[in-house]
Amino acid sequence: MRRAGFVLRRLASAVPVLVAVLTLSFVMMQLVPGDPVQTMLSGAGPAPTPEQEQALRHQLGLDRPLHEQYFGFLADAVRGDFGRSVQTGEPVVSAISAVAPASAELALFALVLSLVFGVGIAVLGRVATGPLRSLCHGVPVVFMSTPGYWVALVLIEVFSFRLTWFPATGDAGFGALVLPAVTLALPAIGVIAQVLGTSLAAVDAEAFVVTARAKGAGRWRVLLRHALRNASIPTITLVGTTVGNLLAAAVIAETVFARPGLGRLTLQAITNHDIPVLQGVVALLGVLYVVVNLLVDLCYVLVDPRVTADRIRD
Amino acid sequence: MSLLAVRGLRVSFAGGRVPALLGVDLTVRHGQTVAVVGESGSGKTTLARTVLGLLPSSARVLGGSVEFGGRNLLALGERGMRAVRGRSISLVPQDPTAALNPVVPVGAQVAEVLRVHGLASRRDARRRAVELLEVAGFPDAGVRARQYPHELSGGMRQRVLIAAALAGRPDLIVADEPTSALDPTVQRQVLDHLTELTRSSGTALVLITHDLGIAAERAEHVVVMADGEVVEEGPPARVLDAPDHPRTRRLVADAPSLNSTRLNSTLLGPSSAIGETLLDVQGLTKVFTSSRFGAARKRITAVADVAFTVARGETLALVGESGAGKSTVARLLVRLEDATAGRILFDGADLAALRGEELRRFRRRVQLVFQDPFTCLDPRYTAFDLIAEPLRAFGLDASPARVHELAEQVALPVGLLSRRPGELSGGQCQRVAIARAVAPGPDLLVCDEPASSLDISVQAQVLRLLVDLQASLGLSLVFISHDLAVVRQVADRVAVLQAGRIVETGPADQVLTAPDHPHTRALLSAVPHLPRREPA
């Protein structure tokens, strides 16, 4: 019951956040230097006439007062209509949905890799002894500090050109997913392993770990039943922000590996002043952040029963 | 034949550089209750940890043997000890709040013992856990088993840990300060349960405690430890009534007791004259309202219609169980919190009406000393900066000479002023906290359990310091404590709080020796007694 109420309250609080995101994207686009109409008409061919400019302005609704533009934008956005791409004339929504699956695939696979290896390295670093332990403690720092574009080039060199295990470019099949996903996942693996490892070490010093050992529990039982769940809260927060970082880092990965995706779409939209597409992408990212944060909050509730408890000083 | 025989046990920390146990002997017979007493640092917890094979990795066993049921536990190794822990020897840990996993229901934490040792199937273990909780004193064990630690009180949590310790039907239970985090009345209930259950099941008990009263009341045999050695042992009546060793004598002398009298300043003799009224509290009420969005608003009355006065140079003790509202009163007195109703008059001025410069002057004249000196001091400040900070904040003389003078007033060696809280002992930290409190020259000190987290002998020193400072500076004290034996040593008058209301108030001699109210009598009867003692 309490959990249902919690979810409803969090969902309700997502509405103003989304309105704020849309408003910000509208304001930012107003502040971007340059006139979109000029940009759109500045392609090849003869210089546009004032009439042509006027017509385009009217078509885009740019001749209306600012507040009308704003509420029109909000109303359209709520209906899922972000207009047409200035560059291609394609509806923004279909431009985004054409590349979104490829990006989702990549981000999800990268996320799974980050979680499996990040948690795995952290846990192994607590249980292992000798050189393996040192390796588990050293590797995360290396992963975090290697730049993505360099990793991508090395991976292509080794696994595509030398070993020819995976294709270097494109989005054909699972094989093409591996190298970009690894590129994206490496820094995330490093951060997750580092943060979770530190939390696990801190929890190891807690009194309830001694209690568990005094019951006769072995190392693995103490780690998996007692330490991991208590240590996971900072890591869950981190995974939430990691999802956002994956989308940002996807720009590099998609460019280097020549994959279609949101990252490349955004990059093109920025270089071409394609404002409707950018607004669509920003709105989508806003929704994604809200959803991810909701999931993160739900994870808190599942992991720690104290989260929904009333906190009243005695 | 003895159940546990520790012989010549030597343990050290930090690779042999810091000796903790220097050849300790301890014998426990089947079904016997043995108390191990001593100050912190005496090695009693290290002894317990060695018996359970739970020493931290920085510790080394240098020699000796731990024979249990004919086997040397030190030769068993980690895998062998795992079969012993929880099954043959179990632990009741010190702090019931920290010792339970906050994210696992308590029933599962009791059942875990049975699962680890393969004593029951998953289903049976769950059922057995409910039975064990019932035996440990939960009438509604079926409901409780599904609750989480934060939904239980401190005393209930400790009973969960006792249930877990008994689950594997061990021959020996090691209880490491099992009740030092609890109120006297709850302490008594928990100890009653523990001793009853071990007696009825024939389990031997090693009771580690710094409280000599508990040792005297509960144990058949008392072992006194100091500096990693056993200095004296024997039946409690003999050891605590007629101690041989100077360390035992000091422990007994420092132990606060209801039979003692108020400490007098060593500087000025019997307490100097008590002056006119400084603090006048009338009808004080504080209601907390939970303000969770969308949930039903709950109103909790923490303090209800409380009235008392404190004269200049006088000590008023506020006593009561935890949750009685003592700390809320303290926060209201120093205006960290505003009252819902009622008035606090300080030197004739209404606290609620103070603004701006007047409020700042008031803050200078009233200072607070907290319970836990470690958490209330900024870990990155040196002791010098900590003492200088309030001086600077009020624009007073913060010169090294003034800080040194304050350090001397609280008997803190000037050589320690460059250290940070983490490098000081608990007693030294509390001296820094007290120096901070007296630095701005206050008229009133509000002390919230100032000695509860300290060892007996350190506690005695801090209490003496407070009494001396009071005499030399003419301070008024509001002294908050759940420990009536401590209150006996410092209070002129006592007010007893129960559920936010004052149920009895009067001179300390009267309230603590001839109480009127049943709640006061209950609090008093819960205090563990040493065998008959001459007043100090």
Side-chain angles (χ1 to χ4, degrees):
Chain A
M1 268 323 285
R2 274 197 330 220
R3 278 178 194 172
F6 179 79
V7 172
L8 283 179
R9 276 200 304 279
R10 289 292 288 111
L11 274 176
S13 71
V15 173
V17 173
L18 281 177
V19 172
V21 166
L22 288 172
T23 307
L24 261 179
S25 84
F26 179 82
V27 170
M28 273 192 315
M29 296 314 161
Q30 297 297 323
L31 297 178
V32 170
D35 179 3
V37 174
Q38 293 287 346
T39 317
M40 286 163 75
L41 295 175
S42 68
T49 64
E51 289 75 34
Q52 278 177 312
E53 255 190 64
Q54 196 53 47
L56 187 59
R57 230 174 260 288
H58 184 73
Q59 185 201 332
L60 292 174
L62 293 178
D63 52 351
R64 289 184 294 166
L66 204 58
H67 66 271
E68 270 184 38
Q69 284 186 44
Y70 170 65
F71 287 111
F73 167 72
L74 276 192
D76 287 347
V78 168
R79 287 199 308 270
D81 179 5
F82 288 89
R84 287 171 181 279
S85 163
V86 172
Q87 209 191 349
T88 62
E90 189 187 2
V92 169
V93 173
S94 62
I96 289 176
S97 53
V99 293
S103 284
E105 216 175 57
L106 179 61
L108 266 181
F109 188 44
L111 186 64
V112 170
L113 286 180
S114 326
L115 281 176
V116 170
F117 285 94
V119 174
I121 290 173
V123 168
L124 209 55
R126 295 304 305 165
V127 181
T129 49
L132 185 58
R133 188 188 182 94
S134 316
L135 188 73
C136 289
H137 288 192
V139 151
V141 182
V142 177
F143 281 7
M144 278 188 291
S145 48
T146 37
Y149 55 87
W150 181 79
V151 171
L153 293 177
V154 170
L155 288 176
I156 290 177
E157 176 66 25
V158 176
F159 292 99
S160 304
F161 297 166
R162 298 256 176 94
L163 299 171
T164 63
W165 287 357
F166 304 107
T169 58
D171 63 339
F174 181 72
L177 199 59
V178 173
L179 293 187
V182 169
T183 309
L184 282 183
L186 278 186
I189 292 173
V191 179
I192 290 174
Q194 186 89 349
V195 170
L196 184 60
T198 310
S199 314
L200 282 175
V203 171
D204 241 10
E206 297 267 357
F208 63 79
V209 167
V210 176
T211 311
R213 292 185 62 205
K215 291 175 191 167
R219 236 183 137 59
W220 280 102
R221 190 184 177 93
V222 167
L223 193 71
L224 299 178
R225 286 286 174 92
H226 293 281
L228 198 55
R229 208 167 142 191
N230 277 286
S232 60
I233 289 269
T235 308
I236 291 171
T237 315
L238 187 74
V239 170
T241 53
T242 302
V243 173
N245 289 341
L246 286 179
L247 290 168
V251 176
I252 291 175
E254 285 170 1
T255 310
V256 175
F257 292 97
R259 278 177 63 87
L262 276 179
R264 273 211 327 182
L265 182 72
T266 313
L267 194 65
Q268 282 163 6
I270 290 172
T271 40
N272 295 321
H273 280 261
D274 198 340
I275 286 170
V277 170
L278 279 180
Q279 281 178 327
V281 170
V282 168
L284 177 65
L285 291 185
V287 172
L288 273 178
Y289 266 99
V290 167
V291 170
V292 167
N293 270 309
L294 182 64
L295 290 177
V296 164
D297 284 357
L298 281 180
C299 283
Y300 291 160
V301 181
L302 290 178
V303 163
D304 192 336
R306 290 166 299 180
V307 169
T308 46
D310 291 337
R311 297 199 195 86
I312 302 168
R313 196 168 339 125
D314 112 82
Chain B
M1 202 198 104
S2 62
L3 175 67
L4 176 76
V6 177
R7 293 284 166 264
L9 187 63
R10 289 185 299 125
V11 174
S12 80
F13 285 99
R17 274 175 288 127
V18 183
L21 297 180
L22 312 159
V24 167
D25 293 332
L26 175 72
T27 307
V28 182
R29 292 196 312 275
H30 281 278
Q32 194 186 21
T33 298
V34 175
V36 179
V37 300
E39 296 170 31
S40 59
S42 61
K44 46 191 204 307
T45 294
T46 306
L47 175 61
R49 292 291 196 91
T50 316
V51 169
L52 282 153
L54 288 176
L55 283 173
S57 54
S58 61
R60 292 277 173 281
V61 177
L62 303 177
S65 65
V66 179
E67 297 273 339
F68 179 81
R71 286 188 299 176
N72 184 3
L73 296 184
L74 296 179
L76 279 185
E78 173 62 21
R79 185 170 287 271
M81 278 310 290
R82 232 183 269 161
V84 170
R85 289 198 289 261
R87 183 77 181 89
S88 306
I89 308 177
S90 63
L91 170 75
V92 177
Q94 175 165 17
D95 180 350
T97 304
L100 284 170
N101 187 336
V103 303
V104 175
V106 292
Q109 300 196 49
V110 175
E112 184 173 25
V113 182
L114 304 167
R115 296 291 300 143
V116 165
H117 294 284
L119 297 175
S121 69
R122 195 176 291 264
R123 222 148 115 232
D124 284 348
R126 214 176 298 151
R127 213 195 54 240
R128 285 277 300 132
V130 174
E131 289 169 14
L132 284 159
L133 287 172
E134 225 158 65
V135 173
F138 288 97
D140 45 358
V143 179
R144 293 297 184 191
R146 287 193 296 274
Q147 288 188 311
Y148 291 93
H150 73 271
E151 296 170 293
L152 307 181
S153 70
M156 289 177 175
R157 288 179 203 149
Q158 195 55 286
R159 277 184 279 165
V160 169
L161 286 161
I162 290 171
L166 286 163
R169 297 179 186 281
D171 297 313
L172 173 67
I173 291 181
V174 178
D176 187 0
E177 304 267 12
T179 56
S180 58
L182 304 174
D183 275 349
T185 39
V186 183
Q187 180 176 60
R188 167 149 299 241
Q189 290 166 11
V190 167
L191 285 173
D192 284 348
H193 267 291
L194 183 62
T195 42
E196 238 172 68
L197 293 175
T198 48
R199 197 161 299 150
S200 64
S201 58
T203 312
L205 177 66
V206 172
L207 188 58
I208 290 171
T209 179
H210 68 270
D211 190 326
L212 300 183
I214 290 178
E217 283 187 1
R218 309 278 169 174
E220 295 146 48
H221 189 81
V222 172
V223 175
V224 183
M225 288 188 69
D227 299 332
E229 287 179 296
V230 172
V231 294
E232 188 164 0
E233 64 179 305
R238 212 276 299 149
V239 172
L240 301 175
D241 208 21
D244 276 339
H245 196 275
R247 295 301 290 267
T248 318
R249 280 205 288 273
R250 204 176 94 194
L251 268 181
V252 172
D254 284 338
S257 152
L258 288 173
N259 303 331
S260 56
T261 50
R262 191 188 191 281
L263 291 168
N264 286 317
S265 163
T266 48
L267 309 170
L268 304 176
S271 70
S272 43
I274 286 170
E276 78 277 21
T277 300
L278 178 70
L279 186 72
D280 185 359
V281 175
Q282 304 164 351
L284 191 64
T285 300
K286 178 70 188 177
V287 179
F288 288 109
T289 312
S290 80
S291 54
R292 209 154 62 93
F293 174 67
R297 288 157 73 88
K298 283 186 199 153
R299 295 165 60 81
I300 292 173
T301 306
V303 176
D305 199 20
V306 161
F308 57 82
T309 60
V310 182
R312 281 184 192 276
E314 185 189 38
T315 302
L316 173 78
L318 287 177
V319 303
E321 300 178 330
S322 52
K326 308 186 296 288
S327 291
T328 307
V329 172
R331 296 174 63 83
L332 291 166
L333 288 183
V334 299
R335 225 188 131 182
L336 284 174
E337 205 87 63
D338 285 316
T340 313
R343 289 206 304 168
I344 301 173
L345 297 175
F346 180 77
D347 210 2
D350 189 346
L351 265 198
L354 295 181
R355 298 276 180 279
E357 190 48 41
E358 281 174 339
L359 184 60
R360 260 180 82 75
R361 224 169 313 146
F362 163 77
R363 296 228 182 273
R364 198 183 135 183
R365 295 180 62 190
V366 176
Q367 290 288 316
L368 189 59
V369 177
F370 295 93
Q371 172 169 13
D372 184 345
F374 284 111
T375 51
C376 76
L377 297 177
D378 188 325
R380 302 197 181 277
Y381 273 44
T382 62
F384 182 95
D385 291 331
L386 284 166
I387 298 174
E389 190 189 23
L391 295 170
R392 291 194 193 111
F394 288 111
L396 303 169
D397 169 21
S399 64
R402 173 72 180 128
V403 173
H404 287 188
E405 185 191 342
L406 282 164
E408 272 157 30
Q409 261 180 354
V410 298
L412 182 74
V414 170
L416 298 181
L417 283 176
S418 58
R419 298 202 189 172
R420 288 170 219 284
E423 301 158 335
L424 298 171
S425 70
Q428 288 163 347
C429 280
Q430 197 57 298
R431 284 173 199 278
V432 172
I434 292 171
R436 267 170 76 86
V438 298
D443 296 315
L444 174 68
L445 275 193
V446 178
C447 305
D448 192 356
E449 307 264 9
S452 312
S453 64
L454 305 171
D455 254 3
I456 308 170
S457 9
V458 183
Q459 188 176 52
Q461 290 164 18
V462 166
L463 294 178
R464 254 172 234 136
L465 171 66
L466 282 172
V467 171
D468 281 347
L469 284 174
Q470 173 172 41
S472 60
L473 302 174
L475 290 171
S476 302
L477 252 62
V478 172
F479 190 95
I480 289 171
S481 183
H482 66 265
D483 189 334
L484 294 170
V486 165
V487 165
R488 188 77 190 89
Q489 296 185 301
V490 296
D492 297 311
R493 285 191 306 124
V494 175
V496 182
L497 274 170
Q498 184 188 19
R501 290 177 186 281
I502 291 186
V503 295
E504 179 164 8
T505 176
D509 290 330
Q510 185 198 316
V511 173
L512 298 178
T513 54
D516 266 342
H517 196 274
H519 185 66
T520 317
R521 280 199 289 275
L523 286 176
L524 282 167
S525 70
V527 177
H529 295 288
L530 281 176
R532 60 184 173 73
R533 257 189 72 199
E534 300 304 309

